[in-house]
Amino acid sequence: MVIILDIGIKYLDYFIGEKSESIHNLIEGIDTYRLPNNFKSVEEYEKFCTQELNLTHVSTTMKKDIEMIEILVESMFAQNIILSDEIDVIIFAQDCLNYQTENIAQYIQYKFKIKNSFTLNVCGNYCSNVETALTVGYSLLYSNISFNNILIISVQKIIEHYQRIIKRVAFLGDGAGIMLLSKKDFYVKVIGTKQITDGRFYDTSHISISNNDTLIHYKNSIHNIKSTLNYYSIDNNKISSVIIPNTNKNLYKLYLDQLNIDNKLLFSDNIGKYGHITCIDFIINLKDNLESKKLNLSDIILSFSVGWAGSYQTTLLEVCSFG
């Protein structure tokens, strides 16, 4: 018998770069060796983004990375969602290439006088970093009676435009997100969350989506999703919505086909809208999905993501209210 302590998401918010900039302008002049394999020109890659990624523009910002997070945390406190001394842990989730300011969690702790907390950093999971932080936060709340609230923060600010190109999978935009986990007054219950990892992909520079690497990612993801659904006794027909990163959705549709989950359940409103804000897509899509009026109370949301370094994350959520 699985005993589940009630833990959920009390607050979600995100910041999207205020400027919508064309991929054409961002990649103009980039050397062709910066492009994914098989693309002979920037024009060819731009066509791929339009046709396969459904993407012509991405969100960018002139703001510093830390400014984006400050806006979100200030707004949360201004709404009296929680008091600063009620936060027990601050988890910063992101990979170092995608931001510039050092020790962001510590800075937020100091800036907003969150004096009763300690800080953690989660990285190396790429698209799954925020959901990995959710898994860590869930485990901390579940196992520690003295912890009641955990703040997860993340930001992405890309400086060099060639670094926005992620193989044949995505094109990165700028943004930030925050998520507050709590043992009370939450509006989305975390039914369960699970991650498996495969260390063979530690050197991401050698990963390709055109060889067996893709098949291994696929098999690991399917195994993790199936085992999570089985562990929490969730049948496929009980799932009301599916959240994925805002990347090449054709890859994820293959997963749903294998799982016998209707592709129509896929929340894809933001694919092609902002670009890929890596792990922050989870916050963006969950918040927008909840506000889309497409869900009902007690609906179950399945989220899954793949981090290219070999992280496979599955999260099951239940709608308790609409904030």
Side-chain angles (χ1 to χ4, degrees):
M1 179 179 179
V2 179
I3 300 175
I4 303 176
L5 177 68
D6 283 346
I7 295 169
I9 298 170
K10 185 173 183 175
Y11 183 76
L12 287 165
D13 199 9
Y14 64 83
F15 177 94
I16 292 296
E18 69 280 357
K19 184 177 180 181
S20 180
E21 194 158 358
S22 72
I23 290 178
H24 175 82
N25 289 340
L26 291 172
I27 67 175
E28 188 176 22
I30 287 180
D31 292 330
T32 53
Y33 79 89
R34 301 282 192 187
L35 300 175
N37 293 338
N38 302 324
F39 289 104
K40 299 179 181 179
S41 67
V42 292
E43 291 79 14
E44 185 180 355
Y45 178 73
E46 182 182 355
K47 183 178 179 181
F48 165 80
C49 289
T50 301
Q51 295 181 347
E52 297 296 324
L53 302 183
N54 193 33
L55 194 65
T56 60
H57 291 70
V58 297
S59 296
T60 63
T61 183
M62 295 299 293
K63 289 181 171 60
K64 296 179 180 179
D65 52 6
I66 198 64
E67 290 178 308
M68 290 187 272
I69 294 183
E70 283 182 311
I71 289 171
L72 296 175
V73 177
E74 284 176 357
S75 177
M76 179 184 69
F77 285 133
Q79 296 175 63
N80 297 316
I81 302 298
I82 194 171
L83 299 176
S84 61
D85 59 6
E86 293 177 323
I87 296 175
D88 301 297
V89 185
I90 304 171
I91 302 178
F92 177 67
Q94 187 54 280
D95 291 296
C96 59
L97 291 177
N98 294 0
Y99 64 94
Q100 294 74 50
T101 301
E102 294 184 0
N103 305 317
I104 287 179
Q106 287 87 338
Y107 172 81
I108 293 299
Q109 180 190 49
Y110 173 76
K111 169 76 174 180
F112 293 97
K113 298 180 173 59
I114 310 175
K115 56 187 178 182
N116 292 333
S117 68
F118 72 89
T119 63
L120 290 173
N121 292 319
V122 170
C123 64
N125 303 280
Y126 296 86
C127 300
S128 299
N129 274 320
V130 163
E131 285 185 85
T132 301
L134 187 152
T135 299
V136 172
Y138 180 89
S139 298
L140 287 172
L141 290 173
Y142 193 95
S143 61
N144 195 319
I145 192 171
S146 65
F147 288 168
N148 293 294
N149 301 287
I150 294 179
L151 179 63
I152 297 172
I153 60 177
S154 184
V155 68
Q156 178 163 288
K157 172 64 183 286
I158 307 300
I159 303 299
E160 299 293 341
H161 294 323
Y162 73 85
Q163 293 179 331
R164 298 182 184 276
I165 300 172
I166 307 299
K167 301 184 183 295
R168 299 174 65 93
V169 177
F171 197 90
L172 302 184
D174 298 335
I178 65 173
M179 175 169 57
L180 183 64
L181 297 181
S182 182
K183 290 180 178 176
K184 62 179 182 179
D185 299 329
F186 49 79
Y187 68 108
V188 180
K189 179 181 176 180
V190 180
I191 298 173
T193 176
K194 182 183 177 184
Q195 184 187 87
I196 60 173
T197 57
D198 190 336
R200 80 183 75 186
F201 296 112
Y202 71 95
D203 187 354
T204 57
S205 65
H206 291 153
I207 296 174
S208 169
I209 69 166
S210 59
N211 61 21
N212 288 336
D213 293 344
T214 301
L215 182 60
I216 295 170
H217 284 314
Y218 174 81
K219 288 181 176 179
N220 287 340
S221 295
I222 293 297
H223 169 71
N224 193 40
I225 296 168
K226 283 185 175 180
S227 63
T228 305
L229 292 172
N230 289 336
Y231 185 81
Y232 292 100
S233 301
I234 302 295
D235 294 330
N236 290 0
N237 57 14
K238 293 182 180 179
I239 296 171
S240 300
S241 184
V242 179
I243 292 175
I244 62 169
N246 298 325
T247 59
N248 191 334
K249 67 179 180 181
N250 293 325
L251 297 175
Y252 287 90
K253 283 184 175 180
L254 293 175
Y255 299 166
L256 297 183
D257 289 341
Q258 179 65 30
L259 294 163
N260 294 316
I261 297 175
D262 193 342
N263 277 305
K264 293 180 181 178
L265 298 179
L266 186 65
F267 180 79
S268 58
D269 292 17
N270 291 327
I271 294 178
K273 192 173 182 180
Y274 306 121
H276 182 33
I277 321 293
T278 57
C279 57
I280 305 167
D281 284 351
F282 173 77
I283 295 174
I284 295 169
N285 291 335
L286 178 57
K287 179 177 173 63
D288 287 357
N289 196 8
L290 291 166
E291 295 177 354
S292 68
K293 299 181 179 180
K294 298 176 182 178
L295 297 171
N296 300 305
L297 294 179
S298 300
D299 276 358
I300 293 176
I301 300 171
L302 165 67
S303 176
F304 63 95
S305 56
V306 178
W308 281 116
S311 299
Y312 312 94
Q313 178 70 46
T314 304
T315 305
L316 290 168
L317 306 166
E318 181 181 347
V319 180
C320 300
S321 70
F322 291 96

